[in-house]
Amino acid sequence: MTGLRLRLRLAPGQEPADVAASAERLRHAWGVHAVYVSTVKPGVVELRLVGFDVLRRVRMPRKVAEGFLKVPVALREDATPFIRDYRTIPHQLTLGATLSGKSMYLRHLIAGLAPQPVALVGIDCKRGVELAPFASRLSALATDPEQAAELLPVLVKEMEDRYDLIKGRQGIAPDTPDEEITSDIWGLPEHERPVPIVLFVDEVAELFLVATRKDEERRDEMVTQLIRLAQLGRAAGIYLEVCGQRFGAELGKGATMLRAQLTGRVCHRVNDEASAKMALGDIAPEAVSAACAIAPEQPGLAVAGDTSGGWSRIRTPYLSLGDAAEICRESAHLVPELPSLKPFRPDVPARPVEAPVSVVKPHPVTD
């Protein structure tokens, strides 16, 4: 029990802002941790009274409205679950310094999507240390920029093939530009609908770093392909989850354009204010100070927002790497058949067979 909810009918002439302005006084009067005000319908507001800091020790609600491409990944400060809904917010940028809880957030996303009929694709330029434990559930995995440069064109081609499928089904002319198609795969019959693809990019800055002119050409190609996936992938059922420590114009050409396509933003503890501004400054400037105030001893705490301007503090519960990997192993049979991604399917080592432990019974003691 975290608190209670009250619904109030407004008097004639009152508006929800009047109640919201009194929230702090109500908090002191009732002796609770926080009071949140939301509008239910015209003339009715809901007051959510939270009795203690629910983010100090996170316990997710027992009953959460889950669904296809929806993952309850964290808890909001008003004790409601924060649900990552890919149908509503197709692409997201997640920033956080080392040991800020970014990997835990990513772990929850993969574990939540693993039992669902979706294809999971990973780009982990840290030699796969973050995503390799989930290889049994991944349809494709690239562990360095060279492999990523080979994988991204395949995803773009998969997206273009899905657009051709939509055109053929709906009678659209084959030469119609993809940008002019307003429908998506969800309008196709279920037996013809391609499986959704979620692309996880960990440490995205590694894709932008260059050392030689040849690397620069490869980088420009990869950035262009990521931007295309972000601009056009939603209608084709391809969703992006981009993670990193910093993400701004200093990464190079195309970084700002890619960030503008990532609707959702989650900012964990960062090392400087500029990093928080990269994540939240263009959508909710007042949330930047909240992100900068996250203490190092509170891993998993983050500020989540979207391009509508709304934001809230969230915290991800603890999930061990072993438990998340076991969920992926149990869901390995759900890996969809995508011929284009088959060459990139990671090799999953066989689980070691444990030798039976022989129990030595003690000899009976005789006098």
Side-chain angles (χ1 to χ4, degrees):
M1 184 69 178
T2 59
L4 63 111
R5 292 182 295 177
L6 300 174
R7 288 195 176 185
L8 301 179
R9 184 177 299 276
L10 300 179
Q14 277 188 321
E15 58 180 17
D18 298 330
V19 182
S22 305
E24 187 64 18
R25 293 192 292 270
L26 293 173
R27 183 181 75 85
H28 283 285
W30 289 332
V32 295
H33 177 73
V35 176
Y36 300 93
V37 181
S38 60
T39 302
V40 178
K41 61 182 181 180
V44 179
V45 295
E46 181 178 88
L47 273 66
R48 180 180 289 270
L49 281 63
V50 180
F52 56 93
D53 186 1
V54 296
L55 299 184
R56 184 171 296 276
R57 186 179 179 184
V58 179
R59 291 185 177 181
M60 295 294 289
R62 293 182 179 180
K63 295 182 179 180
V64 180
E66 301 182 21
F68 185 48
L69 288 174
K70 293 181 180 180
V71 181
V73 69
L75 188 69
R76 297 180 187 268
E77 58 185 343
D78 62 355
T80 60
F82 174 73
I83 298 177
R84 177 73 175 94
D85 187 353
Y86 287 90
R87 296 286 298 275
T88 303
I89 301 178
H91 312 307
Q92 183 170 273
L93 173 65
T94 302
L95 294 186
T98 303
L99 298 179
S100 64
K102 183 173 80 277
S103 298
M104 188 70 67
Y105 182 88
L106 185 64
R107 192 179 298 172
H108 272 274
L109 283 178
I110 296 177
L113 288 171
Q116 301 188 27
V118 299
L120 305 181
V121 177
I123 296 178
D124 182 5
C125 291
K126 292 193 298 186
R127 311 302 299 178
V129 295
E130 293 288 349
L131 299 180
F134 317 118
S136 58
R137 183 58 180 85
L138 298 180
S139 297
L141 176 62
T143 58
D144 55 49
E146 290 78 10
Q147 294 180 6
E150 298 175 0
L151 174 59
L152 286 173
V154 174
L155 291 174
V156 172
K157 180 63 168 59
E158 177 71 22
M159 179 185 69
E160 293 172 346
D161 292 343
R162 295 184 177 200
Y163 271 112
D164 292 338
L165 178 63
I166 296 173
K167 292 177 185 178
R169 178 68 185 181
Q170 298 183 353
I172 301 175
D175 58 347
T176 303
D178 293 342
E179 293 83 354
E180 297 182 9
I181 301 177
T182 59
S183 187
D184 52 36
I185 64 169
W186 307 109
L188 298 174
E190 187 173 354
H191 65 279
E192 295 183 11
R193 186 183 308 149
V195 63
I197 299 175
V198 181
L199 172 61
F200 296 94
V201 182
D202 191 47
E203 295 301 343
V204 65
E206 288 293 323
L207 299 180
F208 284 81
L209 298 179
V210 295
T212 64
R213 181 173 295 275
K214 184 178 180 180
D215 291 341
E216 186 175 354
E217 295 175 356
R218 183 187 64 197
R219 169 209 171 278
D220 291 342
E221 292 179 1
M222 287 192 295
V223 173
T224 301
Q225 290 153 355
L226 277 174
I227 292 174
R228 290 199 66 196
L229 289 172
Q231 288 180 333
L232 306 174
R234 182 208 61 82
I238 300 177
Y239 308 101
L240 270 62
E241 199 74 40
V242 180
C243 305
Q245 297 187 35
R246 289 178 62 88
F247 194 82
E250 76 278 359
L251 292 180
K253 182 175 62 176
T256 303
M257 187 175 181
L258 175 60
R259 184 183 62 178
Q261 301 294 330
L262 305 176
T263 306
R265 308 288 176 83
V266 173
C267 183
H268 294 77
R269 178 181 56 81
V270 290
N271 292 325
D272 55 0
E273 185 180 2
S275 298
K277 289 182 178 179
M278 292 175 192
L280 304 169
D282 59 335
I283 61 170
E286 64 278 7
V288 174
S289 58
C292 294
I294 298 175
E297 59 270 15
Q298 290 184 304
L301 191 63
V303 176
D306 54 57
T307 50
S308 67
W311 64 277
S312 63
R313 295 200 313 156
I314 65 172
R315 193 174 189 185
T316 310
Y318 176 76
L319 175 64
S320 69
L321 180 61
D323 291 342
E326 183 62 27
I327 293 174
C328 291
R329 284 192 291 266
E330 293 176 352
S331 306
H333 64 284
L334 295 177
V335 176
E337 186 66 28
L338 291 174
S340 61
L341 297 180
K342 193 172 183 179
F344 303 93
R345 181 79 190 277
D347 294 329
V348 181
R351 301 181 67 174
V353 179
E354 298 180 358
V357 179
S358 58
V359 179
V360 180
K361 297 183 179 180
H363 293 285
V365 179
T366 57
D367 294 331

